[in-house]
Amino acid sequence: GAVVSQHPSRVICKSGTSVKIECRSLDFQATTMFWYRQFPKQSLMLMATSNEGSKATYEQGVEKDKFLINHASLTLSTLTVTSAHPEDSSFYICSAEGASTDTQYFGPGTRLTVL
Amino acid sequence: KQEVTQIPAALSVPEGENLVLNCSFTDSAIYNLQWFRQDPGKGLTSLLLIQSSQREQTSGRLNASLDKSSGRSTLYIAASQPGDSATYLCAVKRGGKLIFGQGTELSVKP
């Protein structure tokens, strides 16, 4: 199956700093990428959808100025958590979908801890 | 608004038992339904995908059914093994987006 990677797998940062998470589709072109957030023992909540070369579409309640998403190429999307605070600590998961498939392939996730 | 519910939230069974996980959704206008497995601290592994026109899908010891009219899906796991221990999530696809249930945390005891 298709492979999606995320980097880093875990990051610890101080409050007020910005953190960038990368999501890459390794063996297919991802026309659409999705970013999810998951709190402990809870389900995945969609944060935003991004199409290559376009601005991301954010879900209701997600601050677009805080969670910056860039989908500059067909294999890479980035999520930048700006001015991170402890409440931003969570597990962030990306997924990617190609033009010829209706299946989302998920990355392994990034554990963000803000001190 | 589409809502997805999974019952039970947690399940513990002895090794070898057959078991059923349940998923219900409020809006039957879905594109497809997918079952995923998630190990602690890891991403999602897709298990089975059922298109809206299909009734069931099978892969090895797993069988997933879909009844769109009643808004229900079940994941049947035959002859459970300790390696099946994980959280199982169902998700419906609508409007290009996946909407997830809360998951069922399964523990299979040796």
Side-chain angles (χ1 to χ4, degrees):
Chain A
V3 179
V4 175
S5 69
Q6 276 185 246
H7 178 79
S9 58
R10 56 177 63 231
V11 56
I12 301 172
C13 68
K14 292 182 179 179
S15 187
T17 60
S18 294
V19 175
K20 180 185 283 190
I21 303 169
E22 291 186 350
C23 177
R24 292 182 186 273
S25 58
L26 300 184
D27 51 4
F28 69 102
Q29 293 187 326
T31 50
T32 307
M33 285 186 166
F34 304 84
W35 286 94
Y36 296 86
R37 182 174 183 177
Q38 186 179 33
F39 291 105
K41 301 288 187 182
Q42 294 190 26
S43 191
L44 277 73
M45 298 299 296
L46 180 65
M47 299 175 66
T49 303
S50 72
N51 292 297
E52 185 262 339
S54 307
K55 287 186 178 180
T57 301
Y58 290 80
E59 294 300 300
Q60 191 173 12
V62 178
E63 299 175 61
K64 59 182 67 176
D65 294 331
K66 181 165 187 62
F67 299 99
L68 301 179
I69 292 171
N70 183 277
H71 191 168
S73 77
L74 285 171
T75 58
L76 174 65
S77 176
T78 60
L79 167 67
T80 301
V81 183
T82 62
S83 187
H85 291 283
E87 58 265 30
D88 298 324
S89 298
S90 190
F91 193 55
Y92 292 87
I93 306 178
C94 73
S95 70
E97 191 174 271
S100 59
T101 176
D102 57 9
T103 301
Q104 288 185 29
Y105 298 95
F106 284 79
T110 296
R111 172 73 59 193
L112 170 63
T113 303
V114 185
L115 302 176
Chain B
K1 180 187 172 186
Q2 177 71 274
E3 293 183 0
V4 181
T5 305
Q6 289 186 247
I7 295 173
L11 181 64
S12 181
V13 300
E15 181 177 5
E17 265 200 18
N18 304 324
L19 57 99
V20 175
L21 307 181
N22 296 290
C23 173
S24 61
F25 46 96
T26 54
D27 190 335
S28 62
I30 63 170
Y31 184 74
N32 61 40
L33 183 145
Q34 204 163 356
W35 283 92
F36 295 89
R37 170 185 172 137
Q38 185 177 31
D39 292 288
K42 305 292 184 182
L44 275 64
T45 300
S46 178
L47 299 173
L48 291 165
L49 184 151
I50 311 176
Q51 300 291 353
S52 63
S53 59
Q54 296 175 324
R55 298 282 293 183
E56 67 175 343
Q57 283 286 337
T58 299
S59 176
R61 293 183 294 110
L62 306 179
N63 176 277
S65 68
L66 173 63
D67 184 344
K68 229 174 56 161
S69 60
S70 66
R72 293 180 184 177
S73 175
T74 61
L75 178 66
Y76 175 82
I77 303 177
S80 58
Q81 303 170 357
D84 295 330
S85 298
T87 296
Y88 290 80
L89 295 158
C90 75
V92 298
K93 187 169 186 178
R94 188 165 186 266
K97 303 176 186 178
L98 287 178
I99 303 163
F100 284 85
Q102 297 280 74
T104 293
E105 189 174 354
L106 173 65
S107 176
V108 181
K109 306 293 187 184

